[in-house]
Amino acid sequence: DEVLSDEIKEEDNVLVLHEHNFARALSEHQLLLVEFYAPWCGHCQQLAPAYTRAATELRNESSPARLGRVDAMAQTALANEFNITSYPTLKLFRNGNRTHPLPYTGLMDTRGIVRWMQRRAGPSATLLHDTDTANAFASSEDLVVIGFFKPLPRQFDERQTNFPVDPEKGLDTDELTRLLRVHSLRLGTEVNTPCPHPPPPPQTSNQIFGAKIPHHMLLFLNKSSSEQLSLQDGFKAAAGTFRGEVLFVVVDVNGYGADVLSFFGMTPADAPTLRLVKMENNRKYQMEQDSFSDTAIRTFIQAVLDGKVKPHLLSAEPPEDWDTRPVKVLVGKTFEQVAFDETKNVFVKFYAPWCSHCQAMAPAWEELGERYKDHEDIVIAEMDATANELDNITIHGFPTLHYFPAGPGRKMVEYKSTRDVETFSKFLEKG
């Protein structure tokens, strides 16, 4: 039923917001963090308990900061107004300002949300009156910044990093922010995720991706093996050379890092091994022969940065009946010969097995395959883009549809129209 009232209801201390009460919520709350979510989104469902706990903590301490949420699927006007294109998206509204909300930049867990909001509710900087206060502050967190901008104390790696400020140019806040992101992570940060039972381990996945470092070097090892555990020494020794350009990450293949393995087409038995990833396009690089000395690791990374190493492309094995089905099943090894066959018009669906949009579209794609299975010059195909990678095509979302017309020139057209059988057919008939 359409809601016309501006009444603001709460669920577990989270404000339930929609287009009729949004303005009222902004006027009544000085600091309002709003989560725009989609009911089907797995990341939103995973965040929900932590978000509720954070809302309760802030409410219990009588903080001026409140949390709200908007169902972006139902409240399309709000989603369009605030340019919501992915889920969950969190935005902070200050003092009723509706035109310039701030993006949430903290960790996606209860402690991260509470601390992020507390900092915005209180003063942005704390005045340190004496050395005792300064020393206590320096020891209070893993990473702190002291306002004369010389020391950057933290509890790991080198004790401090200097950030000189040019007296004439003044403080470059972008450069300082980048320095903080780079130095907020340990040399050889380990991948982990929050544990459902307290106390949770430090969550690093958000920090790893939030650091915005263009390359990630990963050491996969089994931490229960003392022999493999010792490989961290050479790995961490190489890390300092590339600080800010390459982030060094340790992945325990039998621990929290196990979920990372499928992205690389690996199993725990492949450890110990090394991989480098370019974050802009997810290209992965593998040493021809794993060598875990700091010298070998530095040499390999520099070769990748210099463009002297070809990416390692994943490819599954083609099913025996891949070319006898109405929808041809492509893999990395067979893609070139099919998609760029100059005598065929090839329409390819790139999908992920876990993608709900792909699953919803699957019957239409199968029907399309049946419709054109007897057309000699039209091929309907699909490829699991999580298990197969291509040299010059990067898939950013699922499903992605590309059309490869017959003829010379290796042409490719991205399909962006309605995803139903009749519209697909019209597209194909137009050539």
Side-chain angles (χ1 to χ4, degrees):
D1 293 337
E2 185 179 1
V3 180
L4 299 177
S5 169
D6 70 347
E7 178 187 0
I8 301 175
K9 296 181 180 179
E10 296 187 20
E11 293 179 356
D12 298 322
N13 295 307
V14 177
L15 309 181
V16 180
L17 304 177
H18 47 75
E19 60 180 293
H20 300 292
N21 67 9
F22 200 83
R24 176 178 172 180
L26 294 185
S27 67
E28 292 183 355
H29 300 289
Q30 175 187 356
L31 283 172
L32 180 60
L33 181 66
V34 179
E35 176 202 4
F36 295 87
Y37 72 96
W40 46 258
C41 166
H43 294 294
C44 303
Q45 294 162 10
Q46 185 178 10
L47 174 64
Y51 197 72
T52 297
R53 287 194 295 269
T56 302
E57 282 192 32
L58 291 168
R59 191 72 186 275
N60 290 343
E61 66 184 34
S62 300
S63 170
R66 294 299 306 275
L67 305 189
R69 59 166 55 106
V70 170
D71 180 348
M73 297 292 96
Q75 302 299 319
T76 54
L78 291 177
N80 291 333
E81 178 182 354
F82 300 114
N83 299 315
I84 307 302
T85 58
S86 62
Y87 312 101
T89 293
L90 279 61
K91 291 181 179 286
L92 176 68
F93 296 83
R94 279 182 177 274
N95 301 317
N97 187 325
R98 188 165 181 150
T99 57
H100 293 90
L102 298 174
Y104 176 78
T105 56
L107 299 179
M108 289 293 199
D109 58 23
T110 300
R111 183 167 179 254
I113 293 169
V114 170
R115 290 177 63 191
W116 197 85
M117 293 298 285
Q118 286 172 334
R119 287 171 178 169
R120 278 141 191 86
S124 58
T126 302
L127 180 61
L128 305 177
H129 295 279
D130 51 52
T131 55
D132 289 341
T133 307
N135 287 333
F137 177 69
S139 302
S140 64
E141 300 286 350
D142 275 353
L143 176 76
V144 303
V145 185
I146 295 182
F148 39 75
F149 299 109
K150 284 189 178 178
L152 178 59
R154 62 179 179 279
Q155 306 301 317
F156 53 86
D157 300 335
E158 63 273 18
R159 173 63 180 165
Q160 72 177 50
T161 297
N162 294 330
F163 182 77
V165 178
D166 188 315
E168 295 182 3
K169 295 181 180 178
L171 176 64
D172 187 325
T173 55
D174 288 339
E175 283 298 314
L176 178 57
T177 299
R178 183 175 181 277
L179 182 90
L180 295 177
R181 281 189 178 133
V182 168
H183 287 272
S184 64
L185 289 160
R186 289 167 167 79
L187 292 172
T189 299
E190 183 175 346
V191 170
N192 59 33
T193 53
C195 174
H197 306 291
Q203 184 179 0
T204 59
S205 57
N206 288 310
Q207 289 177 286
I208 288 169
F209 292 103
K212 298 181 180 178
I213 295 175
H215 305 86
H216 290 183
M217 182 68 178
L218 295 94
L219 169 62
F220 294 86
L221 52 78
N222 182 347
K223 291 190 73 174
S224 63
S225 164
S226 58
E227 183 180 353
Q228 292 191 26
L229 202 59
S230 66
L231 300 176
Q232 292 183 104
D233 296 338
F235 187 68
K236 291 179 179 179
T241 305
F242 302 97
R243 173 85 86 172
E245 188 171 16
V246 181
L247 179 64
F248 281 57
V249 180
V250 176
V251 181
D252 180 5
V253 296
N254 289 324
Y256 289 110
D259 292 341
V260 181
L261 293 172
S262 60
F263 178 68
F264 293 87
M266 293 166 48
T267 68
D270 293 312
T273 188
L274 297 157
R275 297 290 189 277
L276 187 143
V277 184
K278 284 189 176 180
M279 300 306 293
E280 65 176 0
N281 55 16
N282 285 334
R283 288 288 179 263
K284 307 170 187 69
Y285 299 82
Q286 179 179 354
M287 298 174 74
E288 289 188 7
Q289 185 173 0
D290 284 320
S291 177
F292 300 93
S293 71
D294 59 331
T295 302
I297 293 171
R298 287 191 189 101
T299 301
F300 168 69
I301 292 175
Q302 194 59 56
V304 173
L305 298 181
D306 292 340
K308 297 177 180 178
V309 181
K310 290 185 177 181
H312 175 74
L313 301 174
L314 293 179
S315 178
E317 292 300 322
E320 290 185 4
D321 61 345
W322 72 270
D323 61 346
T324 61
R325 304 179 187 180
V327 175
K328 312 304 178 190
V329 180
L330 305 185
V331 298
K333 297 176 180 180
T334 60
F335 182 84
E336 284 276 323
Q337 70 186 67
V338 176
F340 294 110
D341 183 338
E342 295 185 3
T343 67
K344 309 287 186 184
N345 298 288
V346 185
F347 203 8
V348 183
K349 176 184 73 173
F350 297 89
Y351 72 96
W354 44 259
C355 167
S356 58
H357 294 295
C358 304
Q359 294 161 8
M361 201 188 86
W365 201 250
E366 288 296 327
E367 184 179 338
L368 187 70
E370 285 286 345
R371 184 174 294 192
Y372 288 95
K373 66 181 180 181
D374 296 324
H375 288 63
E376 291 188 4
D377 63 338
I378 293 179
V379 175
I380 308 301
E382 64 182 11
M383 190 176 88
D384 179 355
T386 66
N388 300 277
E389 296 172 325
L390 305 171
D391 194 12
N392 296 313
I393 301 174
T394 302
I395 305 301
H396 295 288
F398 305 108
T400 291
L401 307 177
H402 284 316
Y403 177 67
F404 301 83
R410 298 173 63 87
K411 296 176 183 176
M412 180 179 76
V413 178
E414 183 174 0
Y415 177 89
K416 294 183 178 181
S417 191
T418 308
R419 294 172 175 178
D420 61 66
V421 177
E422 296 307 320
T423 312
F424 289 150
S425 293
K426 290 177 183 177
F427 175 80
L428 289 171
E429 298 299 335
K430 289 180 180 178

